[in-house]
Amino acid sequence: MSNHDVALVAAGQSKFGKRTEAGLRNLVFEATKELFLKAENISKDDIDATVIGVAGDEFNGQGAPAAVSIDEIGLVGKPTIRVESACATGTAAIKTAYGLVKSGLHDTVLVIGVEKMTAVTTGKATELMARAGDIRWEYPFGCTFPGFYALLATAHMEKYGTTREMLSSVAVKNHYYGARNPKAHLQKEVTLEQAMNSHPIAHPLNLYDCSLISDGAAAVVVTRADLAKKYTDTPVYIKGIGSGSDTMQIAQRETLTSLKGAKTAAQTAYKMAGIGPNAVDLAEVHDCFTIAEIIAYEDLGFAEPGQGGQLALDKQTYIGGKVAVNVDGGLKSKGHPLGATGVSQGAEIFRQLRGEVEKERQVPGAEIGLSHNVGQSGQFVNVIIYGR
Amino acid sequence: MTKFGYVSVEDYVPLVGEFAESLVKGKIFATKCKACGKEYFPPREECICLNDEMEKIDLDTSAKLVSYTIIHVPPESHSTMAPYIIAIGEFPNGLKTMAHLVGVTSMDDLKIGRPMKLVPQTLENERIVYKFVPA
Ligand SMILES: [Zn+2]
């Protein structure tokens, strides 16, 4: 089989946001309903199995979220599996579906990523995410999730002279595009001054450096390439997948200015796809914090090590620049419902490559899209390259 | 028995108990694999070479500052403590760890590479922790 034997043939997404009126079930329903409404020639009967990505049960208290999900959308009786890799859960779910399809075990798999996070207070959500640090030697010091990335930011600023303005430039861009995405959590532009002067969360990161705590779901259908044209005239193929990992304790990393797992994942995915970073038209990168997007530019080869901040400052990651990055608002403005994020990246690239997104944020003639999804502070990384 | 950390969520395992009791006596130990010689701090009961015969060794507690953050918005469990500085320090043997950095008074004291020392700090409620202090 060639590298192009698995395809995406449909995608859907719920509105991301603080969805007080919607539970986990309702979010799953919304994304799935949109997927089948927009799909050209595929129905629920074509689905052989589901893969459900949910990062944490503790946010909304529902155990066995995969069982609840398929109960909600009427796929009970068909095989299902729940996948978890912290914030990289969504791409882990797509990767799992890829394996199931490529192995021949199932032909057509519905992947749903979902997270209902706002049922708990922000303090409680911060607490739960802090527990993704080592509970023996990190959690006892009260290192928050922004704290882990702040440790990377301090090191990057020290080593390369990355500035506060560079960090905020990422926030400004992602809010600019998020304001043009009707599915985004915070559809609001911010000025550089606002972004630079918001209140501190974990020095050197401030409020506008941090992604949002959101509710949301996203869904894609993954199938065999030789069946894909039966379902749509314009499938989007999975051309490459790479993954990597890193030490549990952040202090034990060889470097704090790059994510080793992301570099490995990118190299593996590029090699499998037979392309390099210059071929990428748009990238969905894991900007859980502004520094994470800058490091992603470097790990993915869009910029040399240490030059990621300058790339942002020079507006080279807007549409029309070197590579369009997070033109749906990213985690920063679109929102970051953990399990949904990686699937939403895939759904966004699916729509972009088919020319289907809102005009002012459509990347013209996009043929190659890259999804970069990071769990915790680099312990899990998946890079998926999609192409027409 | 004295517990380690400002807070903890896991059940107390023997190694962490011994480590906390040792901290009470002012001693900070690392562990070393008897098979491959790899050293660990914070200490571990098992080595990644899959050997579980470890010996305790004294840690040279002098360290240099590798990176830091100042937590302004803390998790629920630390809600009364913010702001606090979390630092990563590197010891002479190359091992690195995370701990609070206490006793600096201005941003000028937070220069990367600055010398520090890891010391025990007794807390309320029969708890103890290690912290970095300027050296
Ligand atoms: Zn060993």
Side-chain angles (χ1 to χ4, degrees):
Chain A
M1 288 206 279
S2 78
N3 277 345
H4 310 105
D5 34 32
V6 177
L8 265 55
V9 290
Q13 188 188 308
S14 78
K15 165 88 174 65
F16 282 6
K18 190 172 165 60
R19 298 289 306 273
T20 42
E21 84 298 352
L24 185 104
R25 277 179 177 273
N26 313 106
L27 297 166
V28 165
F29 181 86
E30 197 176 311
T32 308
K33 183 173 180 180
E34 189 194 68
L35 180 147
F36 285 113
L37 274 177
K38 283 191 176 166
E40 292 130 277
N41 190 30
I42 189 163
S43 76
K44 241 172 58 182
D45 297 336
D46 298 309
I47 304 300
D48 298 313
T50 50
V51 177
I52 313 294
V54 184
D57 301 348
E58 301 85 357
F59 292 106
N60 79 328
Q62 174 66 61
V68 172
S69 299
I70 63 166
D71 181 77
E72 173 70 15
I73 56 173
L75 282 170
V76 169
K78 302 218 170 146
T80 189
I81 186 171
R82 182 258 181 100
V83 170
E84 183 276 316
S85 300
C87 316
T89 291
T91 45
I94 293 176
K95 180 178 153 181
T96 301
Y98 177 91
L100 291 172
V101 169
K102 181 140 178 165
S103 68
L105 200 59
H106 300 302
D107 288 337
T108 302
V109 176
L110 173 64
V111 179
I112 302 171
V114 59
E115 212 77 43
K116 172 68 193 176
M117 300 181 75
T118 69
V120 295
T121 62
T122 302
K124 183 71 180 174
T126 304
E127 174 78 23
L128 290 170
M129 283 187 281
R131 286 188 198 180
D134 188 299
I135 58 162
R136 189 179 293 176
W137 301 116
E138 293 183 324
Y139 172 79
F141 297 101
C143 192
T144 58
F145 206 54
F148 286 106
Y149 275 90
L151 290 164
L152 303 182
T154 300
H156 204 274
M157 292 165 104
E158 169 73 15
K159 183 171 180 187
Y160 296 121
T162 300
T163 63
R164 185 58 268 164
E165 190 179 357
M166 291 173 181
L167 296 176
S168 293
S169 297
V170 173
V172 171
K173 172 181 66 73
N174 292 353
H175 275 279
Y176 174 85
Y177 288 114
R180 286 151 180 82
N181 179 359
K183 295 279 174 66
H185 184 160
L186 211 58
Q187 296 167 35
K188 186 182 93 173
E189 288 189 42
V190 297
T191 65
L192 189 61
E193 289 66 36
Q194 283 172 317
M196 286 177 72
N197 297 314
S198 64
H199 70 262
I201 301 288
H203 176 88
L205 303 180
N206 67 36
L207 182 67
Y208 276 108
D209 291 308
C210 303
S211 57
L212 303 163
I213 293 171
S214 316
D215 306 321
V220 294
V221 173
V222 175
T223 191
R224 279 166 38 191
D226 60 336
L227 300 175
K229 290 271 169 129
K230 190 173 103 180
Y231 299 129
T232 174
D233 292 335
T234 47
V236 165
Y237 298 93
I238 295 180
K239 288 176 165 294
I241 300 185
S243 301
S245 59
D246 213 331
T247 61
M248 183 63 194
Q249 289 172 48
I250 198 166
Q252 294 176 354
R253 305 277 168 87
E254 289 160 28
T255 173
L256 293 174
T257 56
S258 158
L259 300 182
K260 189 176 152 193
K263 283 179 151 174
T264 307
Q267 282 159 12
T268 309
Y270 284 135
K271 192 175 173 206
M272 180 172 163
I275 62 159
N278 289 336
V280 176
D281 298 307
L282 89 144
E284 285 276 297
V285 312
H286 198 90
D287 61 321
C288 49
F289 301 94
T290 51
I291 185 64
E293 180 160 327
I294 286 173
I295 291 174
Y297 297 162
E298 299 170 12
D299 290 342
L300 294 169
F302 300 151
E304 292 295 317
Q307 296 301 307
Q310 192 64 44
L311 195 74
L313 200 60
D314 293 344
K315 296 189 162 29
Q316 286 298 314
T317 51
Y318 281 77
I319 293 170
K322 189 168 186 248
V323 54
V325 179
N326 289 340
V327 298
D328 58 354
L331 284 60
K332 178 71 203 76
S333 170
K334 183 177 66 173
H336 183 25
L338 311 179
T341 289
V343 182
S344 172
Q345 291 181 333
E348 164 72 8
I349 292 170
F350 179 79
R351 294 182 60 213
Q352 281 276 358
L353 299 192
R354 290 157 49 107
E356 291 173 351
V357 309
E358 295 73 22
K359 267 203 191 76
E360 60 266 42
R361 56 178 210 89
Q362 173 70 49
V363 180
E367 295 201 359
I368 300 283
L370 180 149
S371 155
H372 159 277
N373 192 198
V374 177
Q376 299 176 242
S377 53
Q379 285 89 334
F380 308 86
V381 186
N382 297 311
V383 170
I384 304 180
I385 296 171
Y386 298 92
R388 281 200 296 206
Chain B
M1 196 180 79
T2 309
K3 292 197 164 209
F4 178 80
Y6 296 97
V7 288
S8 49
V9 284
E10 69 170 356
D11 286 342
Y12 239 51
V13 297
L15 175 84
V16 184
E18 283 172 46
F19 184 76
E21 292 304 324
S22 173
L23 277 182
V24 171
K25 295 178 191 125
K27 278 186 79 73
I28 300 179
F29 68 78
T31 55
K32 182 177 180 180
C33 174
K34 286 183 176 175
C36 74
K38 190 171 168 61
E39 296 180 2
Y40 292 96
F41 188 81
R44 282 172 53 150
E45 308 93 320
E46 294 101 9
C47 181
I48 55 170
C49 78
L50 304 187
N51 173 57
D52 59 2
E53 288 190 26
M54 309 287 280
E55 59 181 325
K56 295 187 180 75
I57 56 170
D58 287 335
L59 180 76
D60 180 344
T61 55
S62 58
K64 59 181 207 293
L65 179 64
V66 173
S67 193
Y68 69 91
T69 177
I70 307 165
I71 303 290
H72 292 274
V73 179
E76 213 169 47
S77 58
H78 277 63
S79 53
T80 59
M81 289 186 68
Y84 47 91
I85 301 169
I86 292 178
I88 293 176
E90 181 172 359
F91 302 102
N93 61 2
L95 298 179
K96 290 176 279 190
T97 202
M98 167 190 289
H100 286 192
L101 170 56
V102 179
V104 299
T105 48
S106 79
M107 293 302 280
D108 290 339
D109 289 337
L110 284 167
K111 291 266 188 294
I112 301 300
R114 71 149 301 139
M116 308 185 293
K117 193 173 168 55
L118 193 71
V119 298
Q121 182 185 10
T122 306
L123 307 171
E124 291 171 358
N125 307 322
E126 275 196 89
R127 284 187 169 272
I128 196 160
V129 73
Y130 48 68
K131 64 179 176 183
F132 287 115
V133 293

